[in-house]
Amino acid sequence: MERPELKQTLGRLLGPAGPEVGCDVCFDELDRYVELELAGEDVDTAIPGLRAHLDGCPACREEHDSLHALVGSEQAL
Ligand SMILES: [Zn+2]
């Protein structure tokens, strides 16, 4: 069962661009990442590789989106 789109995603994750970030690292850093993002900081420099992981990992992407919405709405109050 070949899944070209999965291969493409893995290729992007394992590619030479930046350090490898796994789901465990992503999970640990996600709070900080979202706070930096909402503060307008350069998250790619602060936490290299995490944005690339979010781009290729739907589960973490979803986690990020809900956290972003939550923290964003808290800050707006
Ligand atoms: Zn992930």
Side-chain angles (χ1 to χ4, degrees):
M1 197 162 58
E2 279 292 297
R3 298 192 48 191
E5 75 276 17
L6 183 65
K7 240 183 198 170
Q8 210 173 32
T9 302
L10 285 174
R12 218 181 325 152
L13 286 178
L14 303 173
E20 201 176 315
V21 170
C23 288
D24 49 346
V25 176
C26 181
F27 196 77
D28 284 347
E29 299 281 18
L30 202 55
D31 276 15
R32 196 158 70 92
Y33 180 91
V34 167
E35 273 176 24
L36 289 169
E37 199 176 32
L38 287 166
E41 300 286 336
D42 185 354
V43 286
D44 258 347
T45 304
I47 313 175
L50 205 135
R51 207 223 305 259
H53 180 81
L54 291 176
D55 280 347
C57 181
C60 290
R61 179 88 211 170
E62 204 170 297
E63 190 69 28
H64 164 272
D65 285 353
S66 54
L67 191 63
H68 190 279
L70 183 76
V71 177
S73 67
E74 275 174 5
Q75 285 187 357
L77 291 174

